[in-house]
Amino acid sequence: LAIMMIFFTMQNPEDMLDLISGVFNYSAMMSFLGSRLREKKQLWLIAADIGGIRRINSAFGVSVGNEVFAAVGGYFNALPRGIWAFRMIGTRFLLVAEDADGYRRTLEDVGDRFAAPWHVGDMDISLSVTIRYFGEWGFFKTPEDVVNLIDVAYSEVGAEGWGVPARI
């Protein structure tokens, strides 16, 4: 699967990568999830919605906001092997772990990273992150099921709801 993703990226990078953040895009995410579900592979999902980007765009301009977004994408891409990063929509990302240990470590690492400021240019910028995480996968039949569950988790459960760990 990893070789397939690399092949598609090398063939037509703009088709698979989000140009601002540098992570895989929505289309790549849907293909990846579809492949994992067809193979009946376990899915450990971490959805991360980044807060503060609109404030940065308003205060410093879209180019600085894009630099911050690129820094976030760079961080997600630098996560250990076995963690796949995708930009879903807007400020929402999906991280897919290949195993339970990577899933737990990533939950902790993401919380720790967003507790610290992001150094962009000559500024230190604070961002927030709202995390929703899913370790059960038996009820996902299609990639759309995954997207719908994440959408419901963010819309129906408030910011203080389940799935917002600082640490596991």
Side-chain angles (χ1 to χ4, degrees), residues 91-140:
T91 59
R92 190 170 301 159
F93 292 84
L94 179 66
L95 306 173
V96 181
E98 292 182 350
D99 61 53
D101 288 337
Y103 170 70
R104 284 188 288 276
R105 278 193 313 274
T106 301
L107 277 170
E108 185 174 323
D109 290 348
V110 169
D112 289 347
R113 178 60 190 99
F114 279 87
W118 294 79
H119 189 74
V120 176
D122 60 351
M123 297 181 284
D124 285 331
I125 296 174
S126 294
L127 297 174
S128 63
V129 63
T130 303
I131 297 172
R132 302 291 187 253
Y133 56 98
F134 313 91
E136 175 58 45
W137 65 279
F139 49 85
F140 298 130

Coordinates of all heavy atoms in Angstrom, one line a residue, residues 91-140:
T91 N -9.6 23.1 7.9 CA -8.5 23.0 8.9 C -8.5 21.6 9.5 O -7.8 21.4 10.6 CB -8.6 24.0 10.0 OG1 -9.9 23.9 10.6 CG2 -8.5 25.4 9.4
R92 N -9.2 20.6 9.0 CA -9.3 19.3 9.5 C -8.4 18.3 8.8 O -8.3 18.2 7.6 CB -10.7 18.8 9.4 CG -11.0 17.5 10.2 CD -12.4 17.2 10.3 NE -13.1 18.3 11.0 CZ -14.4 18.5 10.9 NH1 -15.2 17.7 10.1 NH2 -15.0 19.5 11.5
F93 N -7.6 17.5 9.6 CA -6.7 16.5 9.1 C -7.2 15.2 9.7 O -7.8 15.1 10.7 CB -5.3 16.8 9.6 CG -4.7 18.0 9.0 CD1 -4.9 19.3 9.5 CD2 -3.9 17.9 7.9 CE1 -4.4 20.4 8.9 CE2 -3.3 19.0 7.3 CZ -3.5 20.3 7.8
L94 N -6.8 14.1 9.0 CA -7.0 12.7 9.4 C -5.6 12.0 9.5 O -4.9 12.0 8.5 CB -7.9 12.0 8.5 CG -8.2 10.5 9.0 CD1 -9.0 10.5 10.3 CD2 -9.0 9.8 7.9
L95 N -5.3 11.5 10.6 CA -4.1 10.7 10.8 C -4.6 9.2 10.9 O -5.5 8.9 11.7 CB -3.3 11.1 12.0 CG -3.0 12.6 12.1 CD1 -2.4 12.9 13.4 CD2 -2.1 13.0 10.9
V96 N -4.0 8.3 10.2 CA -4.4 6.9 10.2 C -3.1 6.1 10.7 O -2.1 6.2 10.0 CB -4.8 6.4 8.9 CG1 -5.2 4.9 8.9 CG2 -6.0 7.2 8.3
A97 N -3.3 5.4 11.8 CA -2.2 4.6 12.3 C -2.3 3.2 11.9 O -3.4 2.7 11.8 CB -2.1 4.7 13.9
E98 N -1.2 2.6 11.7 CA -1.2 1.2 11.2 C -1.2 0.2 12.4 O -1.5 -1.0 12.2 CB 0.1 0.9 10.4 CG 0.0 1.6 9.0 CD 1.2 1.3 8.2 OE1 2.2 0.6 8.7 OE2 1.2 1.6 7.0
D99 N -1.0 0.7 13.6 CA -1.0 -0.2 14.8 C -1.4 0.6 16.0 O -1.4 1.8 16.1 CB 0.3 -0.9 15.0 CG 1.5 0.0 15.3 OD1 1.4 0.9 16.2 OD2 2.5 -0.1 14.5
A100 N -1.8 -0.2 17.1 CA -2.3 0.4 18.3 C -1.3 1.2 19.0 O -1.6 2.3 19.6 CB -2.9 -0.6 19.2
D101 N 0.0 0.8 19.0 CA 1.0 1.5 19.7 C 1.3 2.9 19.0 O 1.4 3.9 19.7 CB 2.3 0.7 19.7 CG 2.3 -0.5 20.7 OD1 1.5 -0.4 21.6 OD2 3.0 -1.4 20.5
G102 N 1.4 2.9 17.7 CA 1.5 4.1 17.0 C 0.4 5.1 17.2 O 0.5 6.3 17.3
Y103 N -0.8 4.5 17.3 CA -2.0 5.3 17.5 C -1.9 6.0 18.9 O -2.1 7.2 19.0 CB -3.2 4.3 17.5 CG -4.6 4.8 17.9 CD1 -5.3 5.7 17.2 CD2 -5.1 4.3 19.1 CE1 -6.5 6.1 17.6 CE2 -6.4 4.6 19.5 CZ -7.1 5.6 18.7 OH -8.3 6.0 19.1
R104 N -1.6 5.2 19.9 CA -1.5 5.8 21.3 C -0.4 6.9 21.3 O -0.6 8.0 21.9 CB -1.3 4.7 22.3 CG -2.6 4.0 22.6 CD -2.4 3.0 23.8 NE -1.5 1.9 23.5 CZ -2.0 0.8 22.9 NH1 -3.2 0.7 22.6 NH2 -1.2 -0.2 22.6
R105 N 0.8 6.6 20.8 CA 1.9 7.5 20.8 C 1.5 8.8 20.0 O 1.8 9.9 20.4 CB 3.1 6.9 20.1 CG 3.9 6.0 21.1 CD 5.3 5.7 20.5 NE 5.3 5.3 19.1 CZ 5.1 4.0 18.7 NH1 4.9 3.1 19.6 NH2 5.1 3.7 17.4
T106 N 0.8 8.6 18.9 CA 0.5 9.8 18.1 C -0.5 10.7 18.8 O -0.4 11.9 18.8 CB -0.1 9.4 16.7 OG1 1.0 8.6 16.0 CG2 -0.4 10.5 15.8
L107 N -1.5 10.1 19.5 CA -2.4 10.9 20.3 C -1.7 11.7 21.3 O -2.0 12.9 21.4 CB -3.4 10.0 21.0 CG -4.6 9.5 20.2 CD1 -5.4 8.4 21.0 CD2 -5.5 10.6 19.9
E108 N -0.8 11.2 22.0 CA 0.0 11.9 23.0 C 0.9 13.0 22.3 O 0.9 14.1 22.8 CB 0.9 10.9 23.8 CG 1.6 11.6 24.9 CD 2.3 10.7 25.8 OE1 1.8 9.5 26.0 OE2 3.4 11.0 26.2
D109 N 1.6 12.6 21.2 CA 2.5 13.5 20.6 C 1.7 14.7 20.0 O 2.2 15.9 20.1 CB 3.2 12.8 19.4 CG 4.2 11.8 19.9 OD1 4.5 11.8 21.1 OD2 4.7 11.0 19.1
V110 N 0.6 14.5 19.4 CA -0.2 15.6 18.8 C -0.6 16.6 19.9 O -0.5 17.8 19.8 CB -1.4 15.1 18.0 CG1 -2.3 16.3 17.6 CG2 -0.9 14.4 16.7
G111 N -1.1 16.1 21.0 CA -1.5 16.9 22.1 C -0.3 17.7 22.7 O -0.4 18.9 22.9
D112 N 0.8 17.1 22.8 CA 2.0 17.8 23.3 C 2.5 18.8 22.3 O 2.9 19.9 22.7 CB 3.2 16.8 23.5 CG 3.0 15.9 24.7 OD1 2.0 16.2 25.6 OD2 3.7 14.9 24.8
R113 N 2.5 18.5 21.0 CA 3.0 19.5 20.0 C 2.1 20.7 20.0 O 2.6 21.8 19.8 CB 3.0 18.8 18.6 CG 3.5 19.8 17.5 CD 4.9 20.3 17.8 NE 5.3 21.4 17.0 CZ 5.3 22.6 17.3 NH1 4.8 23.0 18.5 NH2 5.7 23.6 16.5
F114 N 0.8 20.6 20.1 CA 0.0 21.7 20.0 C -0.1 22.5 21.3 O -0.6 23.7 21.3 CB -1.4 21.4 19.5 CG -1.5 21.2 18.0 CD1 -1.2 20.0 17.4 CD2 -1.8 22.3 17.2 CE1 -1.2 19.8 16.0 CE2 -1.8 22.1 15.8 CZ -1.5 20.9 15.2
A115 N 0.5 22.0 22.3 CA 0.6 22.8 23.6 C 1.7 23.8 23.5 O 1.7 24.7 24.2 CB 0.8 21.8 24.8
A116 N 2.6 23.6 22.6 CA 3.8 24.5 22.4 C 3.5 25.4 21.2 O 2.7 25.1 20.3 CB 5.0 23.6 22.1
P117 N 4.1 26.6 21.2 CA 4.0 27.5 20.0 C 4.6 27.0 18.8 O 5.6 26.1 18.8 CB 4.6 28.8 20.5 CG 5.5 28.4 21.6 CD 5.0 27.1 22.2
W118 N 4.2 27.4 17.7 CA 4.7 27.1 16.3 C 5.6 28.3 15.9 O 5.1 29.4 15.9 CB 3.6 26.9 15.3 CG 2.8 25.7 15.6 CD1 1.8 25.6 16.6 CD2 2.9 24.4 15.1 NE1 1.3 24.3 16.6 CE2 2.0 23.6 15.7 CE3 3.7 23.9 14.1 CZ2 1.8 22.2 15.4 CZ3 3.6 22.5 13.7 CH2 2.6 21.7 14.4
H119 N 6.8 28.0 15.6 CA 7.8 29.1 15.2 C 7.7 29.2 13.6 O 8.0 28.3 12.9 CB 9.2 28.8 15.6 CG 10.1 29.9 15.4 ND1 10.1 31.1 16.2 CD2 11.1 30.2 14.5 CE1 11.0 31.9 15.8 NE2 11.6 31.4 14.7
V120 N 7.1 30.3 13.2 CA 7.0 30.6 11.8 C 7.6 32.0 11.5 O 7.2 33.0 12.1 CB 5.5 30.5 11.3 CG1 5.4 30.9 9.9 CG2 4.9 29.2 11.6
G121 N 8.6 32.0 10.6 CA 9.2 33.3 10.3 C 9.9 33.7 11.6 O 10.7 33.0 12.2
D122 N 9.6 34.9 12.1 CA 10.2 35.4 13.3 C 9.1 35.5 14.4 O 9.3 36.2 15.4 CB 10.8 36.8 13.1 CG 9.9 37.8 12.6 OD1 8.7 37.5 12.2 OD2 10.2 39.0 12.5
M123 N 8.1 34.7 14.3 CA 7.0 34.7 15.2 C 6.8 33.4 15.9 O 7.0 32.3 15.2 CB 5.6 35.1 14.5 CG 5.6 36.5 14.0 SD 4.0 36.9 13.2 CE 4.1 36.0 11.7
D124 N 6.3 33.4 17.1 CA 5.8 32.2 17.8 C 4.3 32.3 17.8 O 3.8 33.2 18.4 CB 6.4 32.1 19.2 CG 7.8 31.7 19.2 OD1 8.2 31.0 18.3 OD2 8.6 32.0 20.2
I125 N 3.6 31.3 17.2 CA 2.2 31.4 17.1 C 1.6 30.2 17.8 O 2.0 29.1 17.6 CB 1.8 31.3 15.6 CG1 2.4 32.6 14.9 CG2 0.3 31.2 15.4 CD1 2.2 32.6 13.4
S126 N 0.5 30.5 18.6 CA -0.2 29.4 19.3 C -1.4 29.0 18.4 O -2.1 29.8 17.9 CB -0.7 30.0 20.6 OG 0.4 30.2 21.5
L127 N -1.5 27.7 18.4 CA -2.6 27.0 17.7 C -3.3 26.1 18.7 O -2.7 25.6 19.6 CB -2.2 26.2 16.5 CG -1.5 26.9 15.4 CD1 -1.0 26.0 14.3 CD2 -2.5 27.9 14.7
S128 N -4.6 25.9 18.5 CA -5.3 24.9 19.3 C -5.6 23.7 18.3 O -5.6 23.8 17.1 CB -6.6 25.4 19.9 OG -7.5 25.8 18.8
V129 N -5.9 22.6 18.9 CA -6.3 21.4 18.2 C -7.5 20.7 18.9 O -7.4 20.6 20.1 CB -5.1 20.4 17.9 CG1 -4.6 19.8 19.2 CG2 -5.5 19.3 16.9
T130 N -8.5 20.3 18.2 CA -9.6 19.5 18.7 C -9.5 18.2 18.1 O -9.5 18.0 16.9 CB -10.9 20.2 18.4 OG1 -11.0 21.5 18.9 CG2 -12.1 19.4 19.0
I131 N -9.3 17.2 18.9 CA -9.0 15.8 18.5 C -10.2 14.9 18.7 O -10.9 15.0 19.8 CB -7.8 15.2 19.2 CG1 -6.6 16.0 18.9 CG2 -7.6 13.7 18.8 CD1 -5.4 15.6 19.7
R132 N -10.5 14.1 17.7 CA -11.5 13.1 17.8 C -10.8 11.8 17.4 O -10.1 11.8 16.4 CB -12.7 13.3 16.9 CG -13.5 14.6 17.1 CD -14.2 14.5 18.5 NE -15.0 15.7 18.6 CZ -14.8 16.7 19.5 NH1 -13.7 16.7 20.2 NH2 -15.6 17.7 19.6
Y133 N -10.9 10.7 18.1 CA -10.2 9.5 17.8 C -11.0 8.3 17.8 O -12.0 8.3 18.6 CB -9.0 9.4 18.7 CG -9.3 9.3 20.2 CD1 -9.4 8.1 20.9 CD2 -9.4 10.5 20.9 CE1 -9.7 8.1 22.2 CE2 -9.7 10.5 22.3 CZ -9.8 9.3 22.9 OH -10.1 9.3 24.3
F134 N -10.7 7.3 17.0 CA -11.6 6.2 16.8 C -10.7 5.0 16.6 O -9.9 4.9 15.7 CB -12.4 6.3 15.5 CG -13.1 7.7 15.4 CD1 -12.5 8.7 14.8 CD2 -14.3 7.9 16.0 CE1 -13.1 10.0 14.7 CE2 -14.9 9.1 15.9 CZ -14.3 10.2 15.3
G135 N -10.8 4.0 17.6 CA -10.0 2.8 17.5 C -10.8 1.6 17.1 O -10.3 0.6 16.7
E136 N -12.1 1.8 17.0 CA -13.0 0.7 16.6 C -13.3 0.9 15.1 O -13.6 2.0 14.7 CB -14.3 0.7 17.4 CG -15.3 -0.3 17.0 CD -14.9 -1.7 17.1 OE1 -14.2 -2.1 18.1 OE2 -15.1 -2.5 16.1
W137 N -13.2 -0.2 14.4 CA -13.4 0.0 12.9 C -14.4 -0.9 12.3 O -14.8 -0.8 11.1 CB -12.0 -0.2 12.2 CG -11.6 -1.6 12.4 CD1 -10.9 -2.2 13.4 CD2 -11.7 -2.7 11.4 NE1 -10.7 -3.5 13.2 CE2 -11.1 -3.9 12.0 CE3 -12.3 -2.8 10.2 CZ2 -11.1 -5.1 11.4 CZ3 -12.2 -4.0 9.5 CH2 -11.6 -5.1 10.1
G138 N -15.0 -1.8 13.1 CA -15.9 -2.8 12.5 C -17.1 -2.3 11.8 O -17.7 -3.0 11.0
F139 N -17.5 -1.1 12.1 CA -18.8 -0.6 11.5 C -18.5 0.3 10.3 O -19.4 0.8 9.7 CB -19.6 0.2 12.6 CG -18.8 1.2 13.4 CD1 -18.6 2.5 12.9 CD2 -18.3 0.9 14.6 CE1 -17.9 3.4 13.6 CE2 -17.6 1.8 15.3 CZ -17.4 3.1 14.8
F140 N -17.2 0.5 9.9 CA -16.9 1.2 8.7 C -17.0 0.2 7.5 O -16.4 -0.8 7.5 CB -15.5 1.8 8.7 CG -15.3 2.8 9.8 CD1 -14.1 2.6 10.6 CD2 -16.1 3.8 10.0 CE1 -13.9 3.6 11.6 CE2 -15.8 4.8 11.0 CZ -14.7 4.6 11.8

